[in-house]
Amino acid sequence: MVTEYNAGALADLVRRPIVTEKATLLLENNQYTFEVDPRAKKPEIKAAIETLFEVKVVNVSTQNPPRKARRVGKFAGHRPQYKRAVVTLAAGDSITLFPEV
């Protein structure tokens, strides 16, 4: 079953790449970490990465990290909610996160 997605809506699903120590270690396994919209489903994330970066996605793992409390003066609240997606690419494919300056 192949579902067609709106290319404009797919571009809004992926917010930014996550660059942490763990994420850079995963790059050796051809796995890339992105912050995505919390409402995004795995097939939508797969389609978005494939269309944005023109690569073949093998697997998508998602995680909803817990909300963290945040205080600014006397006002208490939470950090914005996000979803983390770890995308495994096919062998031979890669995404350039740090272009040559």
Side-chain angles (χ1 to χ4, degrees):
M1 180 176 165
V2 177
T3 305
E4 294 295 324
Y5 295 104
N6 182 3
L10 288 179
D12 293 335
L13 290 182
V14 179
R15 293 183 179 166
R16 65 182 180 96
I18 296 177
V19 182
T20 60
E21 186 174 353
K22 182 176 181 178
T24 52
L25 290 175
L26 288 175
L27 292 177
E28 297 174 2
N29 300 332
N30 213 16
Q31 294 179 326
Y32 295 83
T33 308
F34 294 95
E35 178 182 327
V36 296
D37 191 320
R39 298 167 296 193
K41 307 292 186 270
K42 287 184 181 183
E44 296 172 342
I45 296 169
K46 179 179 179 178
I49 297 296
E50 286 180 346
T51 57
L52 287 174
F53 299 106
E54 298 175 356
V55 294
K56 176 68 177 150
V57 175
V58 176
N59 188 23
V60 177
S61 300
T62 59
Q63 176 190 17
N64 284 313
R67 295 178 65 188
K68 293 185 179 180
R70 182 176 179 183
R71 175 178 290 280
V72 179
K74 66 177 183 175
F75 302 103
H78 294 278
R79 289 188 179 171
Q81 186 69 27
Y82 70 98
K83 181 184 270 190
R84 179 182 298 143
V86 179
V87 178
T88 304
L89 301 183
D93 285 342
S94 66
I95 297 173
T96 305
L97 293 180
F98 309 108
E100 298 291 327
V101 178

